[in-house]
Amino acid sequence: MSTERQFSKGEVIFKQGDNGNSFFKILEGSVQVIANYGEADERELTVLNPGEFFGEMAVIETYPRSNTIVAADNVRAIEITSSELNGLFAEDPDMIYEIMKHIGSRIKTLTSEYDVLAALLKELRASQDKKSESIFAKIKKYIDIYSAGKNNIDKPSAEALREASAGLKDQKSGNIETYNKGTVIFKEGETGKCMYIVYGGMVGIYTGYDASNQVKLTDLYPVSFFGEMGMIADEARSATAVAEMDETFVEIIRPEELEKLFKESPVKVEMILKHLSYRLRMLTYDFLSACKEVNDIYNS
């Protein structure tokens, strides 16, 4: 259900801004991810190695390529088109979790980077000498990132995600649990190997729940996903989830159930991937916007 492709060192596999209907998994060699390829402000963002994917966002969300991919050496990869994706998942269900973990890893890495940037931005706002060498040494990286990514600061629309989510209302199946108001679904700091879909009622997401520093981050209504990073990134829960209404009911999804889930409801797996992709795009937008603020403050 896929095609093996070979690329020579220095070959452009696809360009920033292209419309894409396929993605790749590297078998041998490595590729460079480059912003503004061939321009004065060209910047290498990262290098991807065997076992990693690239180009998947364009397939999951039908979105233009965000960067240019260049073969760093001779590369052998498999190419999967959007029309082949469901067939591939049916043939190799483990690929579903592989792609989820890949996107989750990118979210986790960018979140850590964003936390560092937020602390630096706070320091920059408070600094009396915004042009000091010590400040510049800390923020130069983010000024460079903004320069390379300024053409990609485009807030993603959730409309397509909302339209697709509407189709899940009739997809309730599997492990459904119902909670009364005030029931803690999971706690901040716990480890968890499952994710959830809200089908009825409302779920509140908190940090510092039931403590003096409690902050409510958001309310989740049908149909919403939560807890996915605990499932795919092997990390502790970053917040507490609480049922905010009686008769709040959710579906619980575990990695080992993905094959069965795909067979019963391919649209549900598609929506999980779209949700992860949208979350990464929003995080990228917030990160680049913060880089822009750093650049603007320093140069004002």
Side-chain angles (χ1 to χ4, degrees), residues 3-16:
T3 303
E4 184 170 313
R5 298 284 306 277
Q6 296 190 24
F7 304 96
S8 301
K9 181 178 180 179
E11 185 176 349
V12 174
I13 298 173
F14 58 70
K15 290 184 178 181
Q16 181 176 333

Side-chain angles (χ1 to χ4, degrees), residues 160-218:
L161 194 63
R162 286 192 293 269
E163 289 177 359
S165 293
L168 290 185
K169 291 181 179 179
D170 299 321
Q171 297 288 322
K172 297 184 286 293
S173 62
N175 187 8
I176 301 290
E177 290 197 359
T178 302
Y179 303 101
N180 290 325
K181 182 177 180 180
T183 302
V184 173
I185 300 170
F186 60 70
K187 290 183 178 179
E188 184 175 356
E190 288 181 344
T191 56
K193 289 295 293 180
C194 60
M195 63 174 291
Y196 304 81
I197 306 176
V198 183
Y199 281 114
M202 182 173 71
V203 174
I205 305 296
Y206 297 82
T207 57
Y209 181 71
D210 207 22
S212 59
N213 61 337
Q214 174 178 302
V215 176
K216 190 172 195 178
L217 302 177
T218 190

Side-chain angles (χ1 to χ4, degrees), residues 61 155-169 221-225 267 270-271 274-275 278 282:
E61 288 198 90
K155 190 170 185 177
S157 168
E159 187 60 32
L161 194 63
R162 286 192 293 269
E163 289 177 359
S165 293
L168 290 185
K169 291 181 179 179
Y221 300 90
V223 176
S224 301
F225 299 84
V267 68
E270 178 186 346
M271 276 309 307
K274 284 182 181 292
H275 167 74
Y278 178 77
M282 275 301 303

